[in-house]
Amino acid sequence: MPEMIGYLAATLTTASFLPQAILTIRTKDTESLSLSMYSLFTLGVFLWLIYGFYISDKALIFANAITLVLAASILSFKIYNVLFKKG
Amino acid sequence: MPEMIGYLAATLTTASFLPQAILTIRTKDTESLSLSMYSLFTLGVFLWLIYGFYISDKALIFANAITLVLAASILSFKIYNVLFKKG
């Protein structure tokens, strides 16, 4: 039962992040996204993943592994655009 | 050491959400926010909090209690605006 709640929580918070990730990866437009917000968020998700491994929690690992890939993709586009394009 | 990583992760992901929460609570403008995204996210954060209590994980409880208050505030403004204002 607790494990099911963890996976449902993981699915919901990851799913809520998907539309932004899909939009950004498709359009590569990051002008209205905040570099500092995505830097904090990506680092935070990375640390949640490490923490998930430390306490051997599968729901935490599952949620944050997927979210990390999405957040890091968005952050990479943002950094690329800041460095080489308009922002 | 694992506990410190959990709290650092909690602080970072919560902090990354703060600017949006402050902006929305201050302006009450929710037109560019997605109702379905915030519904999924708020429910997900609520379930992470329940899960945190189930597995007695203080970092999970701490992070998701704060984020739940912020996300639920934004969602309440959004629902109010959808029902009584323009969107």
Side-chain angles (χ1 to χ4, degrees):
Chain A
M1 176 72 172
E3 203 166 56
M4 259 186 55
I5 293 180
Y7 280 115
L8 190 54
T11 305
L12 288 176
T13 51
T14 304
S16 74
F17 192 56
L18 262 182
Q20 180 66 67
I22 290 170
L23 184 73
T24 304
I25 290 166
R26 188 186 290 162
T27 64
K28 297 180 182 55
D29 176 14
T30 58
E31 239 185 306
S32 53
L33 301 180
S34 155
L35 176 62
S36 54
M37 181 271 182
Y38 270 92
S39 302
L40 284 183
F41 183 69
T42 306
L43 185 58
V45 170
F46 175 69
L47 290 177
W48 275 120
L49 181 61
I50 302 288
Y51 183 63
F53 280 114
Y54 260 122
I55 67 171
S56 303
D57 187 284
K58 282 182 201 157
L60 266 181
I61 294 171
F62 166 71
N64 290 289
I66 296 174
T67 306
L68 181 61
V69 171
L70 299 173
S73 304
I74 293 176
L75 184 61
S76 307
F77 282 127
K78 180 68 188 177
I79 291 172
Y80 177 85
N81 286 342
V82 166
L83 290 178
F84 301 111
K85 296 193 173 172
K86 56 209 157 112
Chain B
M1 175 69 174
E3 203 167 56
M4 257 186 57
I5 293 179
Y7 280 115
L8 190 55
T11 305
L12 288 177
T13 51
T14 304
S16 74
F17 192 56
L18 261 183
Q20 180 67 67
I22 291 170
L23 184 73
T24 304
I25 291 165
R26 188 185 289 162
T27 64
K28 296 180 183 56
D29 176 14
T30 59
E31 238 187 304
S32 54
L33 300 181
S34 156
L35 176 61
S36 53
M37 182 270 180
Y38 270 91
S39 302
L40 285 183
F41 183 69
T42 306
L43 184 59
V45 170
F46 174 69
L47 291 176
W48 275 121
L49 180 61
I50 302 289
Y51 183 63
F53 281 113
Y54 259 121
I55 67 169
S56 303
D57 187 285
K58 283 183 199 156
L60 266 181
I61 295 171
F62 166 72
N64 289 289
I66 296 174
T67 306
L68 181 60
V69 172
L70 300 174
S73 304
I74 293 176
L75 184 61
S76 307
F77 283 127
K78 179 68 188 177
I79 291 173
Y80 177 86
N81 286 342
V82 166
L83 290 178
F84 302 111
K85 295 193 173 172
K86 58 210 155 113

